[in-house]
């Protein structure tokens, strides 16, 4: 392998090439393109974002205004966005943890045949973009009596619903869309974790005469704790960052802001109203929320105990 | 005897239950496929409906898309180009970093790694307004590069590659060095090919992320000719529904290539989309 390289060294490489190829320099060459892009496209904008949140940013006229943006942020519309987002987070976290655990345990058991087919079908919705998936949902949950969801309700003898025009049904649509798209991925996380449960433990439990439920509670669940913490954390973070699930149902604005989310509020203020300083202040608050959640996860998973590798 | 029977009942319940759940999961996709064959005027009137007339199903919507919907194919091309460039650039950058973190010892390595972990927690939503300002300043608004650049930094892929590269056979490196290979030759000719499966998984992660990306392209793209598929399709999602032919059949054609890829590369899809799990 790579013997063609020998030719170069026989000729005697220039001192510069030698320097470039020394083990001290090589790793830095490897990391430098990333570091460069990372400084320009992540670190700099992050710092700019924080600075901007203390500024009034108008075209050609930027001035520091102290905490004024933050004082303005805490208004009824922001609270509405924050409460919508929080409700959404709570519901998606519960559904996207409990349902995948149940399905993963069933798929992992010896009871089910056609495991691959089931797994693939549950994974399929992940491949659709939120926009396409949301469009399907929007047409299935249309206002007319002829749309799928209302047809079903009529069959069951219930009244049709204007799905996109009530607070509860709007939330239901956003949560269902998210759960539909992410269920399959979370099942895979739990399935992977279930492979770590030693069979002997189940056998031992059998000998002790444990019921199926007891085995699940005392043997399976403890092994799922780390992956559950992980899944809950990413679900919370993705929930707080939600935007598309709302946009696809209502575009720019929902009736009575029933679909407004924190990121939607950033978009509305920062981009549509061009009030970048104000938008940045909302962004900083969002970042703080996400930092707190991430740190709680790191503490729970014991990341700080492990120290340097 | 009794437990035998209980087990059989349980097997039935589990299998039928899973089958129903899978049908529910697939139902919207099936409905989309059927709806794409319905006349768009009718679809607009009724929405996606459980009862429909099989006899009026036809491929008119697809005919229309292939013959007349010019901007749809512009969006498709835009999405393809943006996804391809994003995959190549982000994989190139992050595989080098992940590899270097795994096989070399160098000063500042731990600090750098901690920094990447930290940056992983910074949500894109705080970056997007300053990034938009930057894009205006360097005149990259409404351009491919404007969409692609922020996606090139992929800390999650750095993690994944580092994890994978930790398992590479280091003895090969020493052997190659004795043969006179340069460190770069070792990476590109020996190690990178060995990292194939991880490249596949990350190509899927980055590709799908870019193909489906919405918020950033929505901000940075301005003209119809530059739109990517999700942005273009979203503009058709009006209450007036005069574009439902393109919207529905067009949506089908954004998913179908992905589903075909998924069937052939299931392993990479699964590894790519569950990457968060390889942290640490």
């Amino acid at each position: 392998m790579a013997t063609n390289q020998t030719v170069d060294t026989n000729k005697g490489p220039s001192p510069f090439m030698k320097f470039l190829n020394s083990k001290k320099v090589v790793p830095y060459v490897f990391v430098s393109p990333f570091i460069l892009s990372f400084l320009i496209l992540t670190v700099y904008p992050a710092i700019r974002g924080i600075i901007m949140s203390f500024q009034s940013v108008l075209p050609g006229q930027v001035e520091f205004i102290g905490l004024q943006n933050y004082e303005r942020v805490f208004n009824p519309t922001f609270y509405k966005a924050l409460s919508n987002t929080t409700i959404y987070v709570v519901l998606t976290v519960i559904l996207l943890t409990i349902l995948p655990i149940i399905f993963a345990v069933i798929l992992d058991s010896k009871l089910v045949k056609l495991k691959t087919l089931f797994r693939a079908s549950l994974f399929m919705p992940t491949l659709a973009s939120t926009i396409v998936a949301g469009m399907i949902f929007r047409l299935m949950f249309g206002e007319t009596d002829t749309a799928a969801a209302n047809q079903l309700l009529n069959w069951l003898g219930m009244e049709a619903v204007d799905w996109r025009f009530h607070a509860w049904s709007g939330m239901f649509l956003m949560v269902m869309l998210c759960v539909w798209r992410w269920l399959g991925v979370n099942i895979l996380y739990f399935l992977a974790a279930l492979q770590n449960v030693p069979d002997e433990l189940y056998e031992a439990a059998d000998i002790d005469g444990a019921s199926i439920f007891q085995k699940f509670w005392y043997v399976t669940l403890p092994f799922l704790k780390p992956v559950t913490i992980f899944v809950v954390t990413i679900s919370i973070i993705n929930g707080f960052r939600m935007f598309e699930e709302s946009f696809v149902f209502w575009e720019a604005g929902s009736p009575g802001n029933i679909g407004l989310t924190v990121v939607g509020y950033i978009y509305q203020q920062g981009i549509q109203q061009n009030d970048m300083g104000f938008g940045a202040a909302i962004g900083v608050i969002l970042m703080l929320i996400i930092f707190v959640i991430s740190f709680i996860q790191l503490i729970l998973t014991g990341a700080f105990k492990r120290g340097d590798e | 005897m009794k437990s035998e029977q209980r087990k059989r009942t349980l097997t039935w319940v589990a299998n039928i239950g899973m089958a129903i759940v899978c049908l529910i999961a697939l139902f919207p996709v099936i409905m989309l496929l059927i709806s794409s064959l319905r006349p768009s005027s009718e679809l607009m009137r009724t929405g996606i409906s459980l009862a429909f007339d099989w006899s009026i199903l036809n491929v008119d919507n697809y005919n229309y898309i292939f013959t007349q919907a010019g901007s749809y194919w512009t969006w498709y091309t835009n999405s393809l180009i943006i996804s391809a460039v994003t995959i190549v650039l982000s994989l190139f950058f992050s595989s080098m970093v992940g590899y270097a973190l795994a096989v070399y010892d160098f000063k500042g390595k731990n600090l750098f790694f901690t920094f990447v972990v930290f940056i992983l927690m910074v949500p894109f939503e705080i970056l997007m307004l300053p990034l938009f300002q930057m894009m205006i300043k360097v005149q990259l608004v409404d351009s491919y590069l404007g969409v692609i650049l922020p996606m090139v930094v992929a800390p999650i892929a750095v993690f994944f590659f580092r994890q994978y590269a930790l398992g590479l056979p280091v003895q090969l490196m020493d052997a190659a060095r004795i043969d006179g290979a340069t460190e770069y030759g070792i990476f590109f000719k020996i190690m990178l090919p060995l990292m194939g499966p991880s490249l596949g998984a990350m190509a899927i992660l980055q590709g799908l992320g870019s193909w489906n990306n919405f918020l950033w392209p929505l901000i940075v793209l301005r003209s119809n000719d530059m739109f990517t598929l999700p942005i273009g399709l979203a503009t058709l999602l009006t209450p007036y529904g005069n574009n439902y032919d393109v919207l529905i059949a067009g949506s089908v054609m954004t998913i179908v290539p992905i589903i075909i890829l998924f069937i052939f590369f299931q392993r990479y899809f699964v590894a790519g989309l569950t990457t968060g799990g390889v942290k640490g």
Side-chain angles (χ1 to χ4, degrees), chain B:
Chain B
M1 223 25 216
K2 213 173 175 193
S3 78
E4 192 78 345
Q5 202 172 9
R6 249 191 68 196
K7 202 171 173 194
R8 201 174 304 155
T9 328
L10 209 61
T11 309
W12 274 106
V13 171
N15 277 288
I16 294 176
M18 278 322 284
I20 294 174
V21 170
C22 287
L23 272 182
I24 295 174
L26 291 178
F27 181 75
V29 179
I30 298 167
M31 289 314 276
L32 174 73
L33 290 175
I34 296 174
S35 303
S36 71
L37 301 171
R38 293 171 60 195
S40 59
S41 58
E42 204 218 23
L43 187 69
M44 202 232 135
R45 199 165 41 81
T46 65
I48 291 183
S49 173
L50 294 169
F52 50 84
D53 189 353
W54 287 96
S55 63
I56 56 168
L57 298 188
N58 60 57
V59 292
D60 282 359
N61 294 333
Y62 292 95
N63 270 337
Y64 179 79
I65 268 204
F66 278 105
T67 53
Q68 291 170 57
S71 54
Y72 179 79
W73 294 109
T74 314
W75 303 337
Y76 215 102
T77 320
N78 292 340
S79 275
L80 279 177
I81 295 173
I82 287 173
S83 300
V85 178
T86 304
I87 291 174
V88 171
L89 285 181
S90 64
L91 258 58
F92 181 68
F93 283 20
S94 47
S95 63
M96 286 198 305
V97 180
Y99 169 79
L101 285 172
V103 305
Y104 293 109
D105 267 321
F106 57 94
K107 233 186 190 158
K109 177 168 141 172
N110 284 331
L111 183 74
F112 176 64
F113 192 64
T114 320
F115 204 49
V116 176
V117 179
F118 185 69
I119 287 294
L120 202 58
M121 291 191 284
V122 176
F124 179 76
E125 289 71 21
I126 171 90
L127 308 177
M128 71 186 184
L129 297 178
L131 275 173
F132 182 52
Q133 262 193 340
M134 268 169 75
M135 293 303 158
I136 296 173
K137 223 173 260 169
V138 293
Q139 301 194 331
L140 282 177
V141 172
D142 213 18
S143 72
Y144 289 150
L145 212 54
V147 181
I148 293 165
L149 280 180
M151 291 191 67
V152 167
V153 183
I156 197 119
V158 172
F159 271 111
F160 192 79
F161 285 125
R162 172 182 167 271
Q163 195 75 5
Y164 197 87
L166 284 172
L168 291 175
V170 193
Q171 316 86 279
L172 271 185
M173 295 178 70
D174 292 328
R177 277 186 200 121
I178 293 165
D179 284 345
T182 64
E183 298 296 320
Y184 308 100
I186 292 174
F187 175 63
F188 285 108
K189 292 194 180 138
I190 303 174
M191 294 313 219
L192 202 57
L194 287 177
M195 288 167 76
S198 62
L199 290 168
M202 286 304 97
I204 300 285
L205 176 74
Q206 291 295 109
L208 205 61
S210 164
W211 187 255
N212 292 342
N213 194 10
F214 189 74
L215 181 53
W216 177 243
L218 177 73
I219 291 171
V220 93
L221 296 177
R222 288 289 133 117
S223 54
N224 194 55
D225 282 348
M226 292 305 295
F227 284 168
T228 56
L229 276 172
I231 312 296
L233 289 175
T235 62
L236 301 182
L237 206 59
T238 62
Y240 316 108
N242 43 1
N243 287 309
Y244 275 21
D245 32 18
V246 179
L247 179 62
I248 305 289
S251 300
V252 171
M253 286 194 295
T254 67
I255 307 186
V256 167
I258 310 284
I259 292 182
I260 294 172
L261 281 176
F262 170 65
I263 291 166
F264 284 107
F265 302 103
Q266 228 189 88
R267 211 160 47 93
Y268 294 146
F269 268 86
V270 167
L273 290 172
T274 52
T275 296
V278 290
K279 244 198 254 174

Side-chain angles (χ1 to χ4, degrees), chain A residues 20-254:
Chain A
L20 214 59
N21 197 34
S22 79
K23 264 189 168 177
K24 274 220 163 75
V25 180
V26 168
Y28 296 105
V29 176
F30 275 128
V31 298
S32 55
F34 182 83
I35 291 188
L36 205 66
S37 58
F38 181 57
L39 288 174
I40 298 172
L41 295 164
T42 307
V43 179
Y44 173 72
I47 295 167
R48 277 287 307 146
I50 294 168
I51 295 173
M52 244 162 76
S53 72
F54 297 103
Q55 289 173 330
S56 146
V57 185
L58 294 168
Q61 193 191 340
V62 177
E63 58 176 320
F64 276 92
I65 53 167
L67 286 170
Q68 276 181 41
N69 285 327
Y70 290 96
E71 280 160 19
R72 273 169 60 215
V73 164
F74 295 99
N75 64 56
T77 316
F78 176 74
Y79 287 129
K80 179 77 187 160
L82 193 62
S83 78
N84 282 342
T85 310
T86 312
I87 295 170
Y88 175 85
V89 166
V90 171
L91 292 175
T92 50
V93 166
I94 293 174
L95 289 171
L96 281 175
T97 314
I98 294 177
L99 291 179
I101 290 184
I102 295 172
F103 294 145
V105 168
I106 295 176
L107 279 175
D108 191 55
S109 72
K110 295 181 184 74
L111 296 173
V112 187
K113 323 266 184 287
L114 303 171
K115 285 178 209 262
T116 326
L117 181 73
F118 286 149
R119 228 177 37 200
S121 340
L122 289 172
F123 194 74
M124 199 78 86
T126 312
L127 306 175
S129 66
T130 309
I131 295 305
V132 168
M135 184 267 301
I136 308 173
F137 270 61
R138 200 165 147 169
L139 290 175
M140 285 198 329
F141 291 88
E143 282 71 47
T144 54
D145 279 342
T146 48
N150 280 340
Q151 274 183 318
L152 203 64
L153 286 183
N154 287 338
W155 274 344
L156 297 171
M158 287 185 266
E159 291 218 4
V161 175
D162 287 344
W163 294 96
R164 282 168 51 233
F165 297 94
H166 301 291
W168 70 269
S169 54
M171 183 58 71
F172 174 82
L173 288 180
M174 294 189 287
V175 171
M176 285 324 285
L177 180 56
C178 174
V179 171
W180 182 66
R181 285 192 67 234
W182 283 111
L183 188 65
V185 173
N186 285 4
I187 288 176
L188 290 180
Y189 286 130
F190 287 110
L191 269 178
L194 284 172
Q195 308 312 312
N196 298 333
V197 189
D199 279 339
E200 301 88 71
L201 281 184
Y202 288 120
E203 284 158 22
D206 275 335
I207 294 168
D208 290 344
S211 71
I212 289 185
F213 182 75
Q214 282 172 323
K215 276 192 277 184
F216 173 72
W217 194 260
Y218 293 106
V219 181
T220 316
L221 271 191
F223 273 92
L224 294 182
K225 194 183 155 205
V227 74
T228 308
I229 293 174
F230 170 75
V231 165
V232 167
T233 314
I234 52 168
S235 303
I236 295 176
I237 292 176
N238 288 336
F240 272 108
R241 298 177 52 192
M242 190 269 268
F243 172 73
E244 289 165 57
E245 279 87 349
S246 159
F247 188 92
V248 73
F249 286 117
W250 297 283
E251 287 105 49
S254 51

